[in-house]
């Protein structure tokens, strides 16, 4: 999956160090180029094409008031994505990225639209404040479905985003259980709760967290507290990594999915490039657990894969640098004395 061969590693470092520049002068772009090369197993990597997949699903706990938006917004935003009006659509168009929308389990009747990819597990999860969000069979189906979607190697770059009212709450609970932390330490304002709303959210999630042990495996955490879109995204990350696709991980919710993917398939993490540091409260703890240093810090917390899209030009440029930049020998430029 990720090239670790010593000879390749030495050749890769030599290729970077002998470009027409002082050694190390491109900073983190050099490390990024090296990571891309190891993912693709070549000294001539390419990151010219990109697809954003947005997984949409609903959460039973949304009806308890963990979000400042009603649950109907999930369905309404799916329509917005399909008509091209969301931030993710705008960023994708401006950058030349492709986009697909996946119904992983939106509440209500199935959505009929020719451009929608329907992979519904159910019409939303159960209320995780009272009991498991999904059955073991539903959780397994979401992961398997995601892996199949991620394995469709149609682009050099895979970005994954999400839409689901209540999914920052679900992600906070999943992350807390994977990291063995009190959920209050990871819970933020999500869609923009005021102080009273945040206090209520933390109290509800704390009560939900008390249902289970302090630390859970990814499978159990997803089953107890996750969402179909989070589980499907984790599966897609694993499938894409196994196919040799570069995975750009978005913000808080996507990073929680990446944490689950790493727990389920440790070697998948080698294919992950972390896009940005979200303003959501728990993201720093999740990034620390992933040993991740994101490329950007823009104060964003929208989701939808927007941060991943904005990081793609850096990934594309790093690959082009390694592939196209002349060496001292090929350019006839004198190297350091």
């Amino acid at each position: 999956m990720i090239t670790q061969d010593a000879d390749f590693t030495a050749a890769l470092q030599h290729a970077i160090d002998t470009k027409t520049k002082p050694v190390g002068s491109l900073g983190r772009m050099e490390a990024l180029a090296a990571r891309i090369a190891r993912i693709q197993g070549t000294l001539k990597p390419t990151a010219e094409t990109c697809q954003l997949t947005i997984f949409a699903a609903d959460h039973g706990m949304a009806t308890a008031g963990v979000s400042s938006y009603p649950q109907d917004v999930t369905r309404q935003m799916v329509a917005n994505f399909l008509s091209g009006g969301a931030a993710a659509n705008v960023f994708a168009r401006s950058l030349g990225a492709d986009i697909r929308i996946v119904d992983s389990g939106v509440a209500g009747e199935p959505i009929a639209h020719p451009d929608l990819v329907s992979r519904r597990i159910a019409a939303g999860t159960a209320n995780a404040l009272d009991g498991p969000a999904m059955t073991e069979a539903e959780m397994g189906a979401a992961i398997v479905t995601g892996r199949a979607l991620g394995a469709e190697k149609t682009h050099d770059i895979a970005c994954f985003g999400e839409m689901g009212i209540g999914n920052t709450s679900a992600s906070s609970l999943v992350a807390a259980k994977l990291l063995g932390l009190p959920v209050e330490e990871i819970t933020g304002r999500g869609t923009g709760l005021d102080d009273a709303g945040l206090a209520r959210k933390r109290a509800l999630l704390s009560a939900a967290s008390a249902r289970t042990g302090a630390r859970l495996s990814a499978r159990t955490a997803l089953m107890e507290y996750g969402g179909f879109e989070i589980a499907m995204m984790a599966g897609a990350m694993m499938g894409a990594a196994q196919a040799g696709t570069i995975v750009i991980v978005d913000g808080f919710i996507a990073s929680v999915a990446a944490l689950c993917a790493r727990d389920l398939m440790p070697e998948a993490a080698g294919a992950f490039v972390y896009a940005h540091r979200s303003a959501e409260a728990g993201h720093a703890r999740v990034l620390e657990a992933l040993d991740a240093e994101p490329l950007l810090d823009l104060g964003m917390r929208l989701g939808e894969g927007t941060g991943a899209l904005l990081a793609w030009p850096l990934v594309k440029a790093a690959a082009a640098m390694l592939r196209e930049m002349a060496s001292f020998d090929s350019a006839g430029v004198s190297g350091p004395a």
Side-chain angles (χ1 to χ4, degrees), residues 11 32 52 57 60-61 72-73 97 130-131 134 147 160 206 222 232 234 250 255 318 330:
L32 178 57
L52 169 65
M61 74 172 77
D72 289 347
V73 169
D130 302 325
M134 60 186 89
R147 286 191 70 160
F160 298 112
S206 180
L222 285 169
M232 203 170 286
D250 191 42
S255 294
S330 68

Side-chain angles (χ1 to χ4, degrees), residues 32-53:
L32 178 57
R35 189 174 191 87
I36 296 165
R38 285 193 293 270
I39 294 168
Q40 296 187 347
T42 177
L43 299 181
K44 300 288 187 182
T46 182
E48 297 297 303
T49 59
C50 176
Q51 182 182 57
L52 169 65
T53 301

